[in-house]
Amino acid sequence: MREILYAEALVEGLRELLEADERVHLMGQYFLGLTSHRELMADVRDSFPGRVYYPPIAELGYVGAAIGAAIAGLRPIVDIATASFIFQAFPQIVNEAANIHYMTGGQTKVPMIFHFNHGIRGGGAAQHSHSPQAMLWNTPGLEIMAPSSPYDVKGLLKTAAESDNPTAFVDHTRLFDVIGPVPEDDYMIPFGQADIKRGGKDITLLASSFMVQLALSAAETLAEQGIDAEVVDPRTLVPLDEDTILESVAKTHYLVIVDECHRRCGVGAEFAALVVEKAFSDLRAPIVRVSTEDVPVPFSQTLERYIEPTEDKVVQAVLRVLS
Amino acid sequence: MREILYAEALVEGLRELLEADERVHLMGQYFLGLTSHRELMADVRDSFPGRVYYPPIAELGYVGAAIGAAIAGLRPIVDIATASFIFQAFPQIVNEAANIHYMTGGQTKVPMIFHFNHGIRGGGAAQHSHSPQAMLWNTPGLEIMAPSSPYDVKGLLKTAAESDNPTAFVDHTRLFDVIGPVPEDDYMIPFGQADIKRGGKDITLLASSFMVQLALSAAETLAEQGIDAEVVDPRTLVPLDEDTILESVAKTHYLVIVDECHRRCGVGAEFAALVVEKAFSDLRAPIVRVSTEDVPVPFSQTLERYIEPTEDKVVQAVLRVLS
Amino acid sequence: MLPTLSTKVLLGLLEKALAIRRFEEMLVKLAGKIDVGHFHVYVGQEITGVAALDLLETGDLCFTTHRNHGHLLARGADPALMLAEILGKSTGYCGGRGGTLHLASAQLGFPATSAAVGGCTPLATGAAFGMDRLGSDRVSVCLFGDGALEEGSYHESINIAALEKLPLIFLCENNSLEALGQKAGEYPSSTLAVVRLTDLVAPFGVPAITIDGCDGKAVRDGMTEAIDRARSGEGPTFIEARTVRWPGNRPLWPALVTGETNLSMAWDETVIPEEFREWHTTQDGVLRFVREMIDEGHATPETVIALDELVQDQMRTAENFALESPYPEPETALDLVFAKSGSVP
Amino acid sequence: MLPTLSTKVLLGLLEKALAIRRFEEMLVKLAGKIDVGHFHVYVGQEITGVAALDLLETGDLCFTTHRNHGHLLARGADPALMLAEILGKSTGYCGGRGGTLHLASAQLGFPATSAAVGGCTPLATGAAFGMDRLGSDRVSVCLFGDGALEEGSYHESINIAALEKLPLIFLCENNSLEALGQKAGEYPSSTLAVVRLTDLVAPFGVPAITIDGCDGKAVRDGMTEAIDRARSGEGPTFIEARTVRWPGNRPLWPALVTGETNLSMAWDETVIPEEFREWHTTQDGVLRFVREMIDEGHATPETVIALDELVQDQMRTAENFALESPYPEPETALDLVFAKSGSVP
Ligand SMILES: Cc1ncc(C[n+]2csc(CCOP(=O)(O)OP(=O)(O)O)c2C)c(N)n1
Ligand SMILES: Cc1ncc(C[n+]2csc(CCOP(=O)(O)OP(=O)(O)O)c2C)c(N)n1
Ligand SMILES: [Mg+2]
Ligand SMILES: [Mg+2]
């Protein structure tokens, strides 16, 4: 199978969606952030005149407009660029989009996707480095995809576009250069199906988004030390494939969670709470979370490095858990 | 000691703060929501002319203004009324207030309190029933108090007002009628000191805000069945008194968490994750969370009741854990 | 003035205005007997909603607020299903999930009702965006109070609507005319620093008018022009419809301080109670509409009374229906979080 | 035109303008050699910042944005500590925690710098609110780009400022005059449906003027009036200072497309390269200021060159200092989340 970059797979997915359905429109254009790949988006814009909207700097207004447009029958894919700007749109995402289907008794659907690049990108400092997926997961009514590979990003995006629900597309600029196999033929990845990114028997590493890549390299290092780690990637947080996670823990009996959210009430907290509630008797040791330290993200590279999850921290955590 | 209502203790605290320090100003006035106690606030307004500001319906603007005012030397206590309106102010709370001290390298302080009434108040429906404290706990840089009794609300408020950090005052209208002892003399409750609201040896019930009251009544019911539950109230989430929580679990070996947040990534998730990480070997059974079901809050009373934590659900959870 | 319409059509409008008035009165009375919770009523604004929304066609969408009852009734909602929703019954428009704050009927063109002040502006703007991009000739109507102009979402929305020339009507119901600032010739609402609300709109190049919200003709004319402009691709319009807040709306919880409306106040000034004389004589749009109907020969006191009885009957039926309807089954609370679709198994 | 000031004071202003220009040039050059990350430079806007902020006194507070370098330097920031911060060094103004986006110096009156567009408006408004309530005669200055007017926070802030007559100056630096908007594929640009930015302000009853941001006198006069108004309790003022975006700011990452500024372009037109002739002749505020200084006899080419060399020396010192400064100790990343106070043990 051909191998392409994550950024290419993402843009290919967007293109195919735009081609397949006239109702698909892009609102906002910084899908690829300020990375060197951003030219790919310029091409999309040129290929689909009138289908790519350039909003004002008004995240509340234009994300809300995407929700309204979805209600009226459009299938918008709206880009919030840096995840930190999603807070401006929280009243519309958390208090409107997530609630509308439910509070209308199922009358109204909100088929839209909102995309953002989360997490530490290097030098983003406190106001450009958020990982808001835990907050979104605490908001029932949103589907959440958090891909970690070229194959997943395209396949999940296709599924998200068919969904009649508002879907958060949790993305990460540090994934854009990841290379991997992507079929030429069309395919979709169902939501709610975790993927075992690496089979293993000694310990489970549970991670999503860019943290999967970190977990995979940690697993390689651990392999050299004779530890066979299984890397489980839920791929979507909502719906969540609990079974695959619980089965992996039932097999390995040990769990380390790798999560880029701040620790308190992060995605990792939910993973831990889930497992201790539903697989307590399988566990042979504490569940350890490798997360971003509970401090605002500092600018300086030495500080940033100290507070973010790293391969080394994952390795150390595993050794601690298994000792 | 005299016994007064929670609502009275809260207002007494506000009054004493206004009296003691000219820099204390109230911004917004719905501290007591639409409850019958709201006249108490009208009196405060009359007693301190020029010290109570009536903002426009502009939560982003006026909460942000409170942050700016704090930077300039005021000690604002800003009221957001219903917690759901906090999302409008998220860009200023999450991305400004929480970060400023850190990202200025400690140069600037943001001594302000923001108050809101969270949770299910009965018929608030999806857009007026949020419990955003988990999202705020996922935001390093905010102190968080979540009182559950007349004594605590006044004592914690006094401490919050002395803090040089932005502090979330997580409040609940269903607490206003709770009656309890409050000293006439001035007192403060340090942040980061949990309170054992009821001693017990068989199981720990960990709860905050209004859920403490629920846990206490559940404990009474359980007592009738011969189960001696300990109710631990952290009182502040940031800083968190981990020791008291872990000691209680070390003693009882069983833990049920009562939390009004939606389950996924709620405050309860963090409690569970913390305990399984730091007190795994003390646990003899799964940690069970009694939380609000992961659905938008419905309007109808039968539906609302079904999804919210109730005394009965707590009792059932305890029986399940102990069986 | 009355809109220039046939007697039959005018009677239809009157019937809707009466339906709103009687619905709200029924609700306030009911709230005195059983716990209905907090709600907001449309008394005093009936003519705005009825005259404006009568012009809409199927497929045109409305996005309204906490004060939505009158809007739905103006587009033909069934008071029984409305009241059932307000009481949280399974037979209500939203199956009891929404309640008074979120009354919605997709079929009637109310796909989502936000009770967050300023929540509806981006939604309505977006619906217009969608219609525009889909090449439809439908229009989107944003119904909101003067208070929503204080939220930044208004500012962001009108900018988008203006730049994209969206088929959108901002219908701002300014019911704050008795506010202190306004009385002093200053602010039209308690907390907005602009002297005329339409001044806020002008910079965006969006046509904006101020009308008397109790004047059926003014409302209809303004709305006709706005809809024409929207349908022909000329972009959004802003209408400020002014009414004076019903005295029963001044307390935090609505109260029937003016009693149940006695329609004979329309033709017999002597029955108007002293205390609220000014409001009923000059600011009560329903009475004024009735008076104009009679003056211009479209109705007689008798026909009006007959129509009102019909309406009141309907309300009694609605009330019985709603009270007798069952609450939803508790376990169904877990349903409908997500629309079933490809991605959710 | 030049502000009416003594030669000495004018030379002081020029020195600051040169400091900004040379600082930003140094930074852009440095970014060609080492990884500095993304940053925004103030080239082309120097005269606005220098002439406006020179009028402030100790205790007056400024709230600025991602494009803050020039503002801090205009109030006397040390370029060494600035560059150290931009490089993430422990010696920087914020100990390396803030970086270019959040340069702050409480001592110089920059207590918190927000890189969220529209982040500074509520903060600056609130600081003015605080000063007002504390009875201080200090003023608050909100420095922001035209893009921030698209955010709802602006709308909410100006309303509060107007209603409360706060001691606040909105200094909007509109550097988007040539922008075709994002449609042209450019990154930051004005996407606002209003023709004149000041039209947005008028409805709030806030005095608003538009000035040429490269005209030292216009900036100083406008700001003088605004500060007077603020200090005497008459409320906020809005100033739109217009500049044309420096060609080096048009790419996503700043680039020295115009080369390092050759000050002799101010007195010798022939050395101006053809490609950017128009910008340097009419839109380069620093060159214009120099030209006016010479024309009016406040300086000679020689004194200007001498001053510039002094400034360039300072920048070299700053660069060495910053490059040689250590990075913060990793473990210190966990400090300073909270101010130590009663409530945190
Ligand atoms: C974001 C938000 N803030 C505050 C409220 C509380 N609230 C409910 S109604 C209301 C007043 C609204 O005034 P207006 O928009 O003029 O509508 P009216 O009730 O006068 O029709 C307020 C402040 C809310 N629902 N949402
Ligand atoms: C809330 C938010 N949305 C988007 C951005 C990304 N962003 C950074 S600078 C910029 C353009 C700002 O334009 P303007 O305010 O005119 O300032 P200029 O850069 O032109 O000086 C944008 C959109 C941001 N930083 N914050
Ligand atoms: Mg109103
Ligand atoms: Mg600009």
Side-chain angles (χ1 to χ4, degrees):
Chain A
M1 202 184 294
R2 69 177 175 152
E3 303 233 319
I4 61 175
L5 294 180
Y6 181 103
E8 291 166 337
L10 162 55
V11 172
E12 196 173 272
L14 289 174
R15 265 189 184 282
E16 290 175 14
L17 289 171
L18 283 159
E19 263 153 27
D21 188 343
E22 290 259 308
R23 298 171 307 166
V24 174
H25 279 242
L26 307 188
M27 298 174 74
Q29 57 158 339
Y30 292 103
F31 289 83
L32 299 176
L34 305 183
T35 67
S36 57
H37 303 291
R38 64 183 188 277
E39 281 306 309
L40 293 172
M41 282 308 300
D43 292 346
V44 172
R45 187 181 66 211
D46 296 342
S47 319
F48 298 95
R51 306 270 297 284
V52 183
Y53 169 63
Y54 298 90
I57 314 173
E59 293 82 3
L60 178 63
Y62 82 80
V63 176
I67 298 166
I71 290 172
L74 214 69
R75 315 279 299 189
I77 306 179
V78 62
D79 174 49
I80 300 172
T82 303
S84 302
F85 312 154
I86 200 174
F87 300 124
Q88 267 76 359
F90 254 41
Q92 287 288 318
I93 291 175
V94 172
N95 214 6
E96 306 292 344
N99 290 333
I100 285 172
H101 187 68
Y102 189 85
M103 74 186 185
T104 60
Q107 294 178 82
T108 300
K109 293 170 182 170
V110 185
M112 48 99 63
I113 297 171
F114 53 100
H115 171 274
F116 52 82
N117 290 310
H118 83 93
I120 294 176
R121 65 187 188 200
Q127 293 192 323
H128 285 74
S129 305
H130 283 92
S131 290
Q133 52 267 44
M135 297 186 186
L136 298 172
W137 201 5
N138 191 230
T139 305
L142 305 174
E143 295 187 60
I144 304 178
M145 61 180 263
S148 68
S149 73
Y151 179 79
D152 290 351
V153 69
K154 188 175 172 193
L156 292 171
L157 177 60
K158 288 294 182 75
T159 306
E162 296 236 319
S163 167
D164 281 332
N165 299 305
T167 304
F169 177 173
V170 180
D171 207 353
H172 204 303
T173 53
R174 285 183 168 170
L175 285 168
F176 294 170
D177 285 310
V178 170
I179 201 157
V182 174
E184 312 253 2
D185 289 346
D186 200 18
Y187 68 99
M188 290 168 79
I189 301 174
F191 273 36
Q193 288 192 5
D195 186 37
I196 300 194
K197 283 278 184 311
R198 182 187 194 286
K201 60 179 186 355
D202 296 333
I203 189 164
T204 301
L205 298 179
L206 180 55
S208 68
S209 186
F210 177 58
M211 292 299 107
V212 173
Q213 296 295 332
L214 212 68
L216 285 170
S217 10
E220 289 312 308
T221 307
L222 289 163
E224 291 162 18
Q225 307 182 29
I227 297 169
D228 186 19
E230 174 148 303
V231 176
V232 178
D233 174 3
R235 296 202 289 203
T236 61
L237 300 177
V238 183
L240 181 71
D241 178 355
E242 298 190 355
D243 292 345
T244 303
I245 295 169
L246 299 175
E247 280 159 22
S248 177
V249 174
K251 181 174 71 174
T252 65
H253 305 297
Y254 296 95
L255 176 62
V256 164
I257 293 163
V258 195
D259 174 31
E260 198 174 335
C261 294
H262 288 298
R263 187 176 344 256
R264 296 289 194 198
C265 292
V267 160
E270 179 56 36
F271 286 154
L274 168 73
V275 172
V276 72
E277 189 157 353
K278 301 206 174 165
F280 176 73
S281 56
D282 293 321
L283 284 171
R284 298 214 184 122
I287 299 172
V288 168
R289 288 176 282 170
V290 177
S291 331
T292 298
E293 298 295 333
D294 277 323
V295 306
V297 176
F299 171 75
S300 187
Q301 50 189 262
T302 54
L303 304 176
E304 194 185 64
R305 193 82 189 141
Y306 188 78
I307 65 130
E308 71 183 341
T310 59
E311 188 197 311
D312 187 53
K313 288 184 193 178
V314 178
V315 170
Q316 296 310 322
V318 167
L319 297 176
R320 217 161 57 238
V321 168
L322 292 181
S323 74
Chain B
M1 202 184 294
R2 70 179 173 152
E3 302 235 317
I4 61 174
L5 294 180
Y6 180 104
E8 290 166 338
L10 162 55
V11 173
E12 197 172 271
L14 290 174
R15 264 189 184 283
E16 290 176 12
L17 289 171
L18 282 159
E19 264 154 27
D21 187 344
E22 290 260 309
R23 298 170 306 164
V24 173
H25 279 242
L26 307 188
M27 299 174 73
Q29 56 157 338
Y30 292 104
F31 288 83
L32 298 175
L34 306 182
T35 67
S36 58
H37 303 291
R38 63 183 187 276
E39 281 307 309
L40 293 173
M41 282 308 300
D43 292 345
V44 172
R45 188 180 64 212
D46 296 343
S47 319
F48 299 93
R51 307 271 296 284
V52 184
Y53 169 63
Y54 295 87
I57 315 173
E59 293 83 3
L60 178 62
Y62 82 80
V63 177
I67 299 166
I71 290 172
L74 214 69
R75 315 279 300 190
I77 306 180
V78 62
D79 174 48
I80 300 172
T82 303
S84 303
F85 312 154
I86 201 175
F87 301 123
Q88 266 77 0
F90 254 40
Q92 287 288 319
I93 291 175
V94 173
N95 214 6
E96 307 292 345
N99 290 333
I100 285 172
H101 187 68
Y102 190 84
M103 76 187 183
T104 60
Q107 295 178 80
T108 301
K109 294 171 180 170
V110 184
M112 48 97 64
I113 297 172
F114 52 102
H115 171 273
F116 52 82
N117 290 310
H118 83 93
I120 294 176
R121 66 188 188 199
Q127 292 191 325
H128 286 74
S129 305
H130 283 92
S131 291
Q133 52 267 44
M135 296 186 186
L136 297 172
W137 201 6
N138 191 230
T139 304
L142 305 175
E143 294 188 61
I144 305 178
M145 62 179 262
S148 69
S149 73
Y151 179 79
D152 289 352
V153 70
K154 187 176 171 192
L156 291 171
L157 177 60
K158 289 293 182 74
T159 306
E162 296 238 318
S163 166
D164 280 332
N165 299 304
T167 303
F169 177 174
V170 179
D171 207 353
H172 203 303
T173 54
R174 284 182 169 171
L175 285 168
F176 294 170
D177 285 311
V178 171
I179 202 158
V182 174
E184 312 254 1
D185 289 345
D186 200 18
Y187 67 99
M188 291 170 77
I189 302 174
F191 273 35
Q193 288 192 6
D195 185 39
I196 300 193
K197 283 278 182 312
R198 182 188 193 286
K201 60 178 186 354
D202 296 334
I203 189 164
T204 301
L205 297 179
L206 180 54
S208 68
S209 185
F210 177 59
M211 293 298 107
V212 174
Q213 296 295 332
L214 212 69
L216 285 170
S217 12
E220 289 312 307
T221 308
L222 289 163
E224 290 162 21
Q225 305 181 31
I227 296 170
D228 187 19
E230 175 148 303
V231 177
V232 179
D233 175 3
R235 297 200 290 201
T236 61
L237 299 177
V238 182
L240 182 71
D241 178 356
E242 298 189 355
D243 292 345
T244 302
I245 296 169
L246 299 175
E247 280 159 23
S248 177
V249 174
K251 178 174 71 174
T252 67
H253 306 297
Y254 296 95
L255 176 62
V256 164
I257 293 162
V258 196
D259 174 32
E260 197 174 335
C261 294
H262 289 297
R263 186 173 347 253
R264 295 291 193 196
C265 293
V267 160
E270 178 57 35
F271 286 155
L274 168 73
V275 171
V276 71
E277 189 158 351
K278 301 205 173 166
F280 176 72
S281 56
D282 294 320
L283 284 172
R284 298 215 184 119
I287 299 172
V288 168
R289 286 177 285 171
V290 177
S291 333
T292 298
E293 298 294 333
D294 278 322
V295 307
V297 176
F299 171 75
S300 187
Q301 48 188 260
T302 54
L303 304 175
E304 194 185 63
R305 193 82 190 139
Y306 189 77
I307 65 131
E308 70 182 343
T310 59
E311 186 196 313
D312 188 53
K313 288 185 191 176
V314 177
V315 170
Q316 296 310 320
V318 168
L319 297 176
R320 220 163 55 240
V321 168
L322 291 181
S323 75
Chain C
M1 286 209 316
L2 288 180
T4 330
L5 290 167
S6 72
T7 299
K8 188 164 162 246
V9 175
L10 286 173
L11 281 169
L13 296 182
L14 178 60
E15 185 177 347
K16 281 195 174 144
L18 287 172
I20 298 173
R21 176 68 55 96
R22 295 307 185 193
F23 182 85
E24 302 289 41
E25 289 179 351
M26 164 179 69
L27 182 58
V28 176
K29 277 188 294 173
L30 194 60
K33 289 180 251 166
I34 62 173
D35 180 12
V36 176
H38 197 217
F39 58 90
H40 305 80
V41 303
Y42 198 63
V43 176
Q45 300 172 220
E46 296 91 342
I47 298 304
T48 305
V50 167
L53 305 188
D54 181 58
L55 289 155
L56 296 180
E57 293 172 17
T58 307
D60 293 335
L61 298 181
C62 292
F63 294 83
T64 167
T65 66
H66 59 286
R67 203 176 294 286
N68 57 58
H69 302 172
H71 299 145
L72 273 91
L73 288 167
R75 289 190 84 179
D78 182 338
L81 309 190
M82 296 223 357
L83 188 63
E85 184 61 36
I86 292 168
L87 300 182
K89 300 302 184 75
S90 65
T91 51
Y93 271 111
C94 310
R97 282 174 154 70
T100 169
L101 291 177
H102 308 293
L103 274 170
S105 164
Q107 214 187 342
L108 294 172
F110 292 86
T113 297
S114 172
V117 171
C120 66
T121 33
L123 295 176
T125 303
F129 184 95
M131 291 159 170
D132 176 73
R133 297 305 200 258
L134 292 166
S136 134
D137 69 343
R138 299 298 85 182
V139 305
S140 171
V141 183
C142 185
L143 294 151
F144 57 102
D146 48 297
L149 296 174
E150 298 163 21
E151 289 279 358
S153 64
Y154 155 74
H155 176 82
E156 299 187 11
S157 298
I158 195 163
N159 187 36
I160 292 171
L163 284 168
E164 296 294 309
K165 285 198 177 305
L166 298 180
L168 179 62
I169 295 125
F170 292 101
L171 180 47
C172 174
E173 296 187 64
N174 181 359
N175 58 5
S176 296
L177 292 194
E178 89 293 4
L180 289 182
Q182 182 66 26
K183 278 193 178 142
E186 294 166 352
Y187 314 132
S189 86
S190 37
T191 33
L192 199 60
V194 300
V195 177
R196 288 173 310 196
L197 297 186
T198 51
D199 289 348
L200 262 185
V201 182
F204 292 95
V206 171
I209 56 168
T210 298
I211 57 176
D212 175 353
C214 291
D215 180 334
K217 182 168 159 51
V219 173
R220 192 172 174 100
D221 289 352
M223 194 68 182
T224 304
E225 207 176 303
I227 294 175
D228 284 354
R229 191 175 290 129
R231 288 211 209 284
S232 57
E234 291 166 59
T237 304
F238 183 103
I239 300 174
E240 177 198 0
R242 298 181 151 200
T243 51
V244 170
R245 191 172 275 254
W246 171 51
N249 265 338
R250 288 199 198 133
L252 199 51
W253 304 77
L256 268 188
V257 296
T258 57
E260 280 175 76
T261 307
N262 173 352
L263 288 182
S264 63
M265 292 192 285
W267 52 83
D268 178 2
E269 288 220 353
T270 64
V271 301
I272 303 183
E274 191 51 47
E275 196 183 351
F276 302 108
R277 174 166 298 272
E278 171 161 2
W279 192 80
H280 280 308
T281 347
T282 65
Q283 308 298 344
D284 182 336
V286 173
L287 288 187
R288 176 166 155 191
F289 202 87
V290 169
R291 206 177 297 122
E292 290 171 347
M293 293 277 287
I294 293 173
D295 287 354
E296 298 190 19
H298 294 293
T300 62
E302 291 68 34
T303 53
V304 170
I305 300 261
L307 188 65
D308 185 40
E309 283 191 348
L310 222 82
V311 167
Q312 296 210 37
D313 257 7
Q314 225 194 335
M315 295 309 146
R316 274 185 289 273
T317 313
E319 187 167 358
N320 288 334
F321 173 84
L323 287 171
E324 281 162 21
S325 287
Y327 287 102
E329 289 303 319
E331 319 77 62
T332 62
L334 303 186
D335 304 338
L336 297 179
V337 179
F338 292 109
K340 288 283 165 280
S341 53
S343 63
V344 181
Chain D
M1 287 211 311
L2 288 181
T4 329
L5 291 167
S6 71
T7 298
K8 187 162 164 248
V9 175
L10 286 173
L11 280 171
L13 296 182
L14 177 59
E15 184 177 346
K16 282 194 172 144
L18 286 172
I20 298 174
R21 176 68 53 97
R22 294 308 184 192
F23 181 85
E24 301 290 40
E25 289 179 351
M26 164 179 69
L27 181 58
V28 177
K29 276 188 293 173
L30 194 60
K33 289 180 249 166
I34 62 173
D35 180 12
V36 176
H38 197 216
F39 58 91
H40 305 80
V41 303
Y42 198 62
V43 176
Q45 300 172 217
E46 295 91 344
I47 298 304
T48 305
V50 167
L53 305 188
D54 181 58
L55 290 154
L56 297 179
E57 293 171 19
T58 306
D60 293 334
L61 298 181
C62 291
F63 293 83
T64 168
T65 66
H66 59 285
R67 202 175 295 286
N68 58 57
H69 302 173
H71 299 144
L72 273 91
L73 288 168
R75 288 191 84 180
D78 181 338
L81 308 190
M82 295 221 2
L83 188 63
E85 183 62 35
I86 293 168
L87 300 182
K89 300 300 184 75
S90 64
T91 50
Y93 271 112
C94 311
R97 282 174 154 71
T100 169
L101 290 176
H102 307 295
L103 274 171
S105 164
Q107 213 188 341
L108 294 171
F110 292 86
T113 297
S114 172
V117 172
C120 65
T121 33
L123 295 177
T125 303
F129 183 95
M131 289 159 173
D132 177 72
R133 296 306 200 258
L134 291 167
S136 134
D137 70 343
R138 300 296 84 183
V139 306
S140 170
V141 183
C142 185
L143 294 152
F144 58 102
D146 48 297
L149 297 174
E150 299 163 20
E151 290 279 358
S153 63
Y154 155 74
H155 176 83
E156 299 187 11
S157 298
I158 195 164
N159 187 37
I160 292 171
L163 285 167
E164 297 293 309
K165 286 198 179 304
L166 298 181
L168 179 61
I169 295 126
F170 292 102
L171 179 47
C172 174
E173 297 187 64
N174 182 0
N175 57 5
S176 295
L177 291 193
E178 89 299 4
L180 294 172
Q182 296 186 358
K183 280 182 186 147
E186 292 185 37
Y187 181 49
S189 64
S190 199
T191 316
L192 201 58
V194 300
V195 178
R196 288 174 310 195
L197 297 186
T198 50
D199 288 350
L200 262 185
V201 180
F204 293 94
V206 171
I209 55 167
T210 298
I211 56 175
D212 175 353
C214 293
D215 181 333
K217 181 167 160 52
V219 173
R220 191 170 173 100
D221 290 351
M223 194 70 182
T224 304
E225 208 175 302
I227 294 175
D228 284 353
R229 192 175 289 129
R231 287 211 209 283
S232 57
E234 291 167 58
T237 305
F238 183 102
I239 300 172
E240 177 198 1
R242 297 182 152 198
T243 51
V244 169
R245 190 170 277 254
W246 172 49
N249 265 338
R250 287 199 200 135
L252 199 50
W253 304 78
L256 269 189
V257 296
T258 56
E260 279 174 78
T261 307
N262 173 353
L263 289 181
S264 62
M265 293 192 284
W267 53 82
D268 179 3
E269 287 220 352
T270 64
V271 302
I272 303 182
E274 190 51 47
E275 197 182 351
F276 301 109
R277 172 167 298 272
E278 170 157 5
W279 192 80
H280 281 307
T281 345
T282 67
Q283 309 298 344
D284 183 336
V286 173
L287 290 187
R288 177 165 152 191
F289 202 88
V290 170
R291 207 178 296 121
E292 289 170 348
M293 292 277 287
I294 294 174
D295 287 354
E296 300 189 17
H298 295 293
T300 61
E302 291 68 34
T303 53
V304 170
I305 301 259
L307 189 64
D308 185 40
E309 282 190 348
L310 222 83
V311 166
Q312 296 210 37
D313 256 7
Q314 226 193 335
M315 295 309 146
R316 272 185 291 271
T317 313
E319 188 167 357
N320 288 336
F321 173 84
L323 287 171
E324 282 162 21
S325 288
Y327 286 102
E329 288 304 318
E331 319 78 61
T332 63
L334 302 186
D335 304 337
L336 298 179
V337 179
F338 292 109
K340 289 283 167 279
S341 53
S343 63
V344 180

